[in-house]
Amino acid sequence: MTATHGANPLRDAADRRLPRIAGPSGLVIFGVTGDLSRKKLMPAVYDLANRGLLPPGFSLIGFARRDWEDEDFAQVVHDAVKEHARTSFREEVWQQLSQGMRFVQGTFDDDEAFNTLKSTIDDLDKSQGTGGNFAFYLSVPPKFFPKVVQQLKKHGLADQKEGSWRRAVIEKPFGHDLKSAKELNAVVHEVFPPNEVFRIDHYLGKETVQNILALRFANTLFEPIWNRSYVDHVQITMAEDIGIGGRAGYYDGIGAARDVIQNHLLQLMALTAMEEPASFDADALVAEKTKVLGAVRLPKDLAADTVRGQYAAGWQGGERAVGYLEEDGIDPKSKTDTYAAVKLEIENRRWAGVPFYLRTGKRLGRRVTEIAVVFQRAPHSPFDHTATDELGQNALVIRVQPDEGVTMRFGSKVPGTSMEVRDVSMDFQYGESFTESSPEAYERLILDVLLGDANLFPRTEEVELSWKILDPIEDFWDKHGRPAQYESGTWGPAEADEMLARDGRSWRRP
Ligand code: BG6
């Protein structure tokens, strides 16, 4: 196994003179005909190759039911790369990459197909020099995870041989609740050792998310005020303008809270709230994140301090949008949430009494993900109160996407003869400060899997603690009523505004 668990993501990102290049290896994608594979995984593999970060003989095997030959598969990858890759298409890179592409046709219970997969890997080891090092990417619905890992075991594909590695890469959602996540962890760990299991939370692969750690721990400016003495509350928003598109089969019955709060938003919260880790290796990071997740306290009154919503018809981007219950493939009586907001607190010395408001939704006003740390008002103001009538609270906003950067909001004197103070902002924009564009999250994560670098992957403990937070909320929702309706293209149900208004606060309009 490559011993890179101690790698430092901050140093790696900053030091372009030391590119981290994967050693001999290959990737097998299960569920290769799906959307994720076409839009994210295949382009990410090409982008890595184009940046010179993959080994010369890198191999990509697709596994699916389609009746494809290797050439058909290569053509699909080609088209996906042309359409979705971040970097420009270069024929010589493509020619080299496509040498190592193979397709294996079969279903997950098809023993013959897994035998073929095994012989394909053995052949690639010889022809492409992949060295027996393969990662198996499970981009399949969670109900198939156990079957696929058991098949890998049965056919000797998960055997860790001396001097080489076999890894499992598992897409979210990891389970449906705490119980199923534990069962899944047990099945996966029976086959793969914990350090060879990489659970994907693609938010952790985003540059702006990694920058939370740089912002907090590479500077002196923020950390002294990053606590209950100065922070009034924190708002974490992940808003999307899209609906569920063609994902009815996946989404219905899962909903917004399980789809993104359990993973992306709780991870953002953990990174925002955690103590400084002793180092930036995976163990130290996990230790700090799990302390935060373990200290989360749910609101006493779940009816008042959690909200779920479902989009109704409306207007989105100038077009008429149908409501969730009218979407193709959705049960017209579905109670699935497409919007969720929760108020959480963290019971520790740093954060006691500071609410963390998390919200996410589909078909909202616009696509934006941000973390807003909102500070308390100045304890005393020497100005006449009319001077500060229009002054809001100071805030530090980490803009995760799409307009990546950081904004600081504070009060400033309006030019003129009288003293009037108004909000202004100071802005850092990635696009202006750096010339290179940020790699896609999946580029970073696939590279890290091949390098065996586990820093950006949630561990068992984190996944289970996150379900522990969400389970009581989901149970409560199950038993009480239906989601509130909100018009597509708006900022969610009125109940979510009321939830903050009761605390004397309001959601930011990002
Ligand atoms: C996925 C969710 O994890 O994240 C999707 O399953 C969501 O429902 C997507 O649309 C959003 O990702 P991003 O990177 O576009 O914010």
Side-chain angles (χ1 to χ4, degrees):
M1 202 196 86
T2 330
T4 47
H5 276 232
N8 177 340
L10 300 181
R11 193 173 341 111
D12 296 339
D15 196 344
R16 304 283 166 190
R17 287 164 305 166
L18 289 175
R20 303 150 75 235
I21 300 175
S25 52
L27 182 69
V28 180
I29 303 180
F30 292 97
V32 78
T33 50
D35 246 26
L36 179 77
S37 168
R38 221 168 27 84
K39 292 192 181 148
K40 300 287 180 187
L41 307 182
M42 294 170 179
V45 166
Y46 169 81
D47 286 324
L48 286 171
N50 201 13
R51 292 163 66 203
L53 302 180
L54 294 183
F58 180 81
S59 299
L60 179 67
I61 306 177
F63 186 110
R65 267 180 310 194
R66 293 292 157 93
D67 186 12
W68 283 347
E69 298 296 328
D70 291 345
E71 299 72 41
D72 303 314
F73 173 57
Q75 187 59 44
V76 170
V77 182
H78 179 270
D79 296 348
V81 167
K82 281 254 166 133
E83 195 176 346
H84 300 289
R86 181 179 63 89
T87 60
S88 58
F89 190 83
R90 288 197 291 148
E91 193 56 39
E92 65 276 22
V93 173
W94 172 254
Q95 283 307 331
Q96 179 162 11
L97 190 62
S98 57
Q99 301 282 311
M101 283 184 197
R102 303 287 184 276
F103 184 73
V104 177
Q105 190 209 356
T107 60
F108 301 139
D109 5 66
D110 181 353
D111 285 325
E112 204 38 56
F114 279 83
N115 285 335
T116 310
L117 178 59
K118 188 162 194 304
S119 56
T120 306
I121 286 179
D122 292 343
D123 289 347
L124 286 168
D125 281 345
K126 289 189 199 103
S127 62
Q128 294 285 106
T130 34
N133 304 318
F134 274 84
F136 300 99
Y137 199 122
L138 276 63
S139 174
V140 299
K143 63 174 186 244
F144 296 118
F145 293 169
K147 183 78 211 171
V148 178
V149 291
Q150 276 151 4
Q151 284 285 52
L152 291 173
K153 180 179 181 180
K154 180 171 167 193
H155 294 271
L157 285 155
D159 296 350
Q160 308 288 336
K161 301 212 176 94
E162 189 62 35
S164 66
W165 50 258
R166 294 292 161 98
R167 294 184 180 136
V169 188
I170 304 186
E171 259 300 333
K172 58 165 271 281
F174 200 83
H176 192 74
D177 52 17
L178 178 60
K179 183 167 170 282
S180 54
K182 281 188 164 167
E183 285 163 7
L184 206 52
N185 274 324
V187 174
V188 174
H189 288 155
E190 228 174 74
V191 178
F192 289 92
N195 61 343
E196 304 294 9
V197 179
F198 292 75
R199 293 174 193 76
I200 297 276
D201 182 323
H202 78 281
Y203 264 59
L204 297 183
K206 292 182 190 272
E207 288 284 326
T208 40
V209 173
Q210 292 160 50
N211 191 40
I212 300 170
L213 300 182
L215 182 90
R216 293 191 53 201
F217 303 126
N219 297 303
T220 50
L221 209 52
F222 308 109
E223 218 39 33
I225 51 169
W226 210 261
N227 56 51
R228 68 189 303 271
S229 305
Y230 295 93
V231 175
D232 178 68
H233 71 280
V234 178
Q235 296 188 15
I236 303 183
T237 299
M238 176 187 167
E240 294 187 279
D241 50 6
I242 52 169
I244 51 151
R247 295 167 81 217
Y250 158 77
Y251 200 86
D252 204 36
I254 290 205
R258 285 195 176 95
D259 185 37
V260 300
I261 292 189
Q262 188 272 342
N263 36 80
H264 307 328
L265 296 201
L266 285 177
Q267 284 288 328
L268 293 183
M269 174 171 146
L271 293 169
T272 306
M274 72 186 211
E275 297 302 316
E276 181 175 306
S279 70
F280 276 101
D281 73 20
D283 290 342
L285 281 168
V286 171
E288 296 308 335
K289 284 195 284 169
T290 49
K291 277 188 220 159
V292 173
L293 295 170
V296 166
R297 187 169 62 79
L298 288 177
K300 285 199 188 69
D301 185 354
L302 290 174
D305 288 328
T306 70
V307 172
R308 66 180 162 153
Q310 199 176 62
Y311 60 80
W315 290 92
Q316 194 101 46
E319 294 193 359
R320 192 79 192 140
V322 299
Y324 180 73
L325 298 178
E326 288 98 62
E327 296 272 19
D328 282 348
I330 296 298
D331 170 3
K333 294 205 190 78
S334 173
K335 283 167 67 178
T336 299
D337 47 306
T338 62
Y339 177 100
V342 297
K343 172 183 172 182
L344 301 175
E345 287 192 18
I346 300 170
E347 285 190 315
N348 62 21
R349 189 168 281 245
R350 189 193 277 258
W351 294 116
V354 177
F356 282 68
Y357 299 102
L358 276 49
R359 65 171 163 168
T360 183
K362 296 213 182 269
R363 286 226 186 282
L364 296 184
R366 73 184 185 94
R367 174 176 183 252
V368 58
T369 299
E370 62 163 45
I371 301 164
V373 179
V374 181
F375 293 91
Q376 296 168 15
R377 288 187 187 277
H380 165 75
S381 166
F383 308 111
D384 186 311
H385 75 92
T386 55
T388 53
D389 265 357
E390 291 191 40
L391 184 63
Q393 283 166 274
N394 294 168
L396 184 90
V397 183
I398 300 171
R399 299 192 311 272
V400 173
Q401 63 189 28
D403 176 24
E404 290 88 355
V406 180
T407 299
M408 198 133 80
R409 280 184 77 72
F410 55 95
S412 179
K413 181 182 178 305
V414 180
T417 49
S418 63
M419 178 54 84
E420 193 190 333
V421 186
R422 230 187 263 164
D423 286 329
V424 293
S425 51
M426 215 152 74
D427 233 10
F428 149 62
Q429 303 220 9
Y430 272 80
E432 281 179 8
S433 302
F434 300 110
T435 46
E436 59 261 75
S437 70
S438 296
E440 276 283 329
Y442 280 97
E443 281 174 67
R444 173 67 194 252
L445 296 179
I446 290 174
L447 180 64
D448 282 2
V449 167
L450 300 175
L451 289 164
D453 183 343
N455 289 23
L456 302 179
F457 299 84
R459 289 242 186 106
T460 319
E461 309 88 287
E462 294 168 76
V463 172
E464 293 185 358
L465 281 169
S466 301
W467 282 122
K468 229 173 173 167
I469 296 168
L470 203 62
D471 276 1
I473 299 176
E474 291 283 358
D475 284 350
F476 177 82
W477 287 348
D478 246 12
K479 293 191 188 102
H480 298 91
R482 299 187 56 81
Q485 297 281 303
Y486 61 96
E487 198 180 316
S488 287
T490 64
W491 280 97
E495 284 80 347
D497 294 330
E498 288 155 19
M499 170 175 134
L500 260 71
R502 276 193 294 276
D503 291 349
R505 302 187 174 102
S506 56
W507 292 108
R508 284 171 41 80
R509 282 286 172 263

